[in-house]
Amino acid sequence: MKKVIILILLAGLFSACSKVNNGNFGQPATSKDKTMLLALTSYYVNGTTGNDTNTGTSAAAALKTIQAALNKTTNGAGSTIFVAGGTYKERLTWPNSGASSTEPITLTNYNSGVVIIDGDNATNTAQNAMIAISSKSHIRIQSVRIANNIRSFASGIYMSGSGTDVQFTDCKLYNIGWTSNASSRPEPKDNANPFVIIGSTANSYNQIYIGSNEVYNCNTGYSEGLTIAGNVENFLIENNTIHDITNIGIDMTGNYAWTGAPANVNFARNGNVKYNKVYRCVSPIATSAGIYVDGAKWINIEGNTCYENSTGISAGCENDNNSTDGINIRSNFIYNNIEAGIIMGSNAANSKVINSTITNNTLFKNYSKTGWGGEIHLQNTDHLTIRNNIIQSASNIVIVASTNYNSTNLVFDYNNYFSASGSSNTVTFDWAGINGTTYGSFAAFKTATGLDTNSNYSTPSFVSASLPSPNLHLGSTSLCINRGLPSFVAQPGEFDIDKEARVRNGRVDIGADESAY
């Protein structure tokens, strides 16, 4: 469930494709080593000893506020703002772009101090964002904390417009919300965005890196923890921890007119979402995924660990007469989510998820709410391949293709199934959306549908299969080792759940873990 972000409320704060399925998009163009930054113009901020009448060019002559240091930067010139540890009650507006990827404008902490940009009784009260950025390029925000912004349409980092080469690393964003009462049930008007990037013009925001951040304890209402929307391309979201969000964790979206981007480029695209940990992202009123794609295109979702969300990972298309294209969900651990481990397909009548794959994932005991549901839930799809996955259900319902949806050109093969009974003769495949039939055994499903010809039913033999913290790596005796598609070839930049080679010993394993055995 997601909600439009009302740009008009923030308008006063701001001035104003190729198909790629693989590779590493949006990687940092330069080292983030702070020693490199020392060659640039440096400004210092100290909330205790500083004074905004100082030059700010040394620690001894530090400025008092971060905004004063940002205002001293020059558009098109590189500089670094070093902020001493402390709490800064400021709502910041980012005024300038850096010169290049080697001469950015950087905001960071000084001498590893803990810097908190705090919204409680902060300055610039008319601004909803703690850091507002509009159409700026070559900037870095690293090693700061953004907290305690509670108001309607609150946000932590809010970046819109167009630009290039922006990096956010090692930051913490928490207690950002439309209300401080976590038990409140939101209405559609109730929104907060801890971290949002919106490409809102005909020119894209591109080369975006979001790495090693933590976003948590945020009451987002109808919005999400980390949002990429509109004309945004070539991005990498990696090694982040997103948790305890009252809706979707990570969201990449398209086809929403409120972004302002022209329709032909109004969708996030060409991105990687890799090795993030996403958990307890649960809306009180609707299904919410840990990682969600809605109308975006050509995105790899790889090596993530998603658990205790409403659903683990989802790719859909909520806007009618559109498509979500080229989504690769691969080598993820997905377990103990409240509903399905993966939901794939559009719920809009004339939309589909097309040309996509679910490969080499490990799905383990999802649908924890119990009842008639399973590990993978299909809606409207076309040309979807589901291959080399371990799918172990907490019940005897392994796959669900939902009624009133349609999946065409569907491939299932080289998967390994296991269920509560330990017997393939009691496994139920609910295939109502395909041909109105429920199959009460694995053999009956294969015979009737022609799917999963080379798939097996066997215990995966994980290192540990105990919730709530299973170890889903393969034990040495697992029958999933060297049992995947024989002709499988890893794509450029494709690795297993541990960032290790996707193929060892001549043949790919089934599941997210590529064993050394």
Side-chain angles (χ1 to χ4, degrees):
M1 176 198 68
K2 49 205 283 253
K3 170 66 178 174
V4 298
I5 300 169
I6 308 299
L7 289 176
I8 192 168
L9 297 180
L10 298 166
L13 306 179
F14 304 126
S15 55
C17 167
S18 62
K19 179 176 179 178
V20 182
N21 281 331
N22 304 289
N24 296 315
F25 314 117
Q27 297 256 26
T30 62
S31 167
K32 295 186 283 290
D33 186 344
K34 295 179 187 177
T35 60
M36 179 200 75
L37 301 176
L38 294 174
L40 307 175
T41 302
S42 296
Y43 297 103
Y44 296 82
V45 177
N46 190 309
T48 302
T49 65
N51 191 308
D52 283 348
T53 62
N54 290 340
T55 62
T57 54
S58 69
L63 300 161
K64 186 175 185 61
T65 65
I66 300 170
Q67 188 65 62
L70 284 168
N71 291 343
K72 283 184 173 291
T73 63
T74 300
N75 195 50
S79 59
T80 303
I81 298 169
F82 290 107
V83 183
T87 298
Y88 296 81
K89 293 183 175 293
E90 304 180 57
R91 299 176 185 272
L92 304 173
T93 301
W94 198 282
N96 293 308
S97 295
S100 67
S101 61
T102 56
E103 297 176 287
I105 294 176
T106 299
L107 173 65
T108 189
N109 61 341
Y110 180 60
N111 282 348
S112 301
V114 175
V115 174
I116 302 172
I117 303 173
D118 192 315
D120 186 27
N121 293 317
T123 60
N124 196 10
T125 57
Q127 180 171 292
N128 289 329
M130 294 306 301
I131 302 180
I133 304 166
S134 179
S135 296
K136 301 299 183 291
S137 299
H138 310 302
I139 66 176
R140 311 282 186 265
I141 298 177
Q142 60 188 39
S143 302
V144 299
R145 301 183 183 189
I146 301 170
N148 304 324
N149 191 20
I150 307 296
R151 57 165 60 192
S152 181
F153 293 98
S155 59
I157 295 172
Y158 192 107
M159 186 169 81
S160 69
S162 62
T164 190
D165 179 37
V166 180
Q167 299 178 18
F168 305 94
T169 57
D170 193 35
C171 295
K172 293 180 183 291
L173 296 89
Y174 56 94
N175 198 26
I176 311 293
W178 66 275
T179 176
S180 59
N181 185 356
S183 64
S184 294
R185 292 177 63 85
E187 300 292 334
K189 64 180 176 58
D190 297 322
N191 295 269
N193 291 91
F195 200 146
V196 60
I197 298 173
I198 301 173
S200 57
T201 74
N203 297 316
S204 69
Y205 242 127
N206 58 73
Q207 296 300 317
I208 308 296
Y209 179 78
I210 302 172
S212 302
N213 304 285
E214 184 178 11
V215 183
Y216 63 101
N217 292 349
C218 292
N219 198 1
T220 59
Y222 271 62
S223 294
E224 310 84 29
L226 169 56
T227 306
I228 306 292
N231 191 5
V232 181
E233 60 181 334
N234 301 329
F235 57 88
L236 174 58
I237 301 171
E238 69 170 357
N239 299 325
N240 301 284
T241 302
I242 315 290
H243 64 97
D244 294 287
I245 306 295
T246 59
N247 199 354
I248 297 161
I250 300 173
D251 179 35
M252 294 145 286
T253 191
N255 307 310
Y256 287 91
W258 52 258
T259 68
N264 65 321
V265 290
N266 189 14
F267 52 93
R269 60 197 180 276
N270 293 344
N272 275 289
V273 182
K274 307 177 76 170
Y275 303 104
N276 303 284
K277 182 180 289 186
V278 187
Y279 59 96
R280 291 197 296 270
C281 296
V282 180
S283 166
I285 58 174
T287 299
S288 53
I291 300 174
Y292 184 43
V293 180
D294 169 23
K297 298 185 179 183
W298 316 314
I299 294 171
N300 296 321
I301 301 173
E302 177 181 320
N304 303 283
T305 300
C306 297
Y307 61 93
E308 297 178 13
N309 307 289
S310 284
T311 193
I313 298 174
S314 179
C317 190
E318 296 183 18
N319 289 294
D320 210 6
N321 298 306
N322 287 284
S323 64
T324 295
D325 190 356
I327 310 304
N328 300 314
I329 301 174
R330 63 195 191 194
S331 298
N332 302 282
F333 280 164
I334 306 169
Y335 64 89
N336 202 27
N337 293 284
I338 297 168
E339 299 186 37
I342 295 176
I343 298 178
M344 193 76 161
S346 174
N347 59 3
N350 301 301
S351 295
K352 294 180 179 180
V353 175
I354 62 175
N355 304 319
S356 296
T357 64
I358 299 173
T359 56
N360 284 103
N361 300 284
T362 297
L363 294 99
F364 178 71
K365 293 189 176 181
N366 295 290
Y367 219 82
S368 65
K369 71 178 186 179
T370 71
W372 195 256
E375 295 293 315
I376 298 177
H377 186 168
L378 300 181
Q379 298 180 340
N380 294 330
T381 68
D382 185 42
H383 288 96
L384 172 64
T385 295
I386 301 175
R387 182 185 283 144
N388 295 349
N389 302 284
I390 293 174
I391 302 169
Q392 179 170 343
S393 175
S395 69
N396 292 317
I397 307 168
V398 178
I399 298 294
V400 175
S402 182
T403 305
N404 300 323
Y405 296 107
N406 192 29
S407 291
T408 53
N409 299 298
L410 184 65
V411 174
F412 275 81
D413 212 0
Y414 291 95
N415 299 297
N416 190 95
Y417 300 103
F418 197 63
S419 58
S421 68
S423 171
S424 64
N425 291 326
T426 62
V427 174
T428 299
F429 285 76
D430 182 6
W431 219 239
I434 304 299
N435 55 20
T437 302
T438 297
Y439 301 101
S441 73
F442 185 35
F445 169 74
K446 291 203 293 184
T447 299
T449 64
L451 300 171
D452 272 322
T453 300
N454 298 289
S455 298
N456 300 298
Y457 181 95
S458 67
T459 178
S461 297
F462 298 126
V463 171
S464 171
S466 298
L467 293 175
S469 301
N471 184 339
L472 300 179
H473 293 82
L474 300 177
S476 60
T477 62
S478 174
L479 297 179
C480 296
I481 296 173
N482 298 325
R483 292 291 294 273
L485 177 69
S487 61
F488 176 89
V489 176
Q491 297 297 313
E494 179 180 2
F495 298 97
D496 80 342
I497 189 71
D498 300 311
K499 304 182 184 179
E500 296 177 342
R502 183 61 271 189
V503 180
R504 297 185 186 182
N505 302 315
R507 184 170 173 179
V508 70
D509 294 346
I510 299 175
D513 173 36
E514 188 71 19
S515 171
Y517 300 111

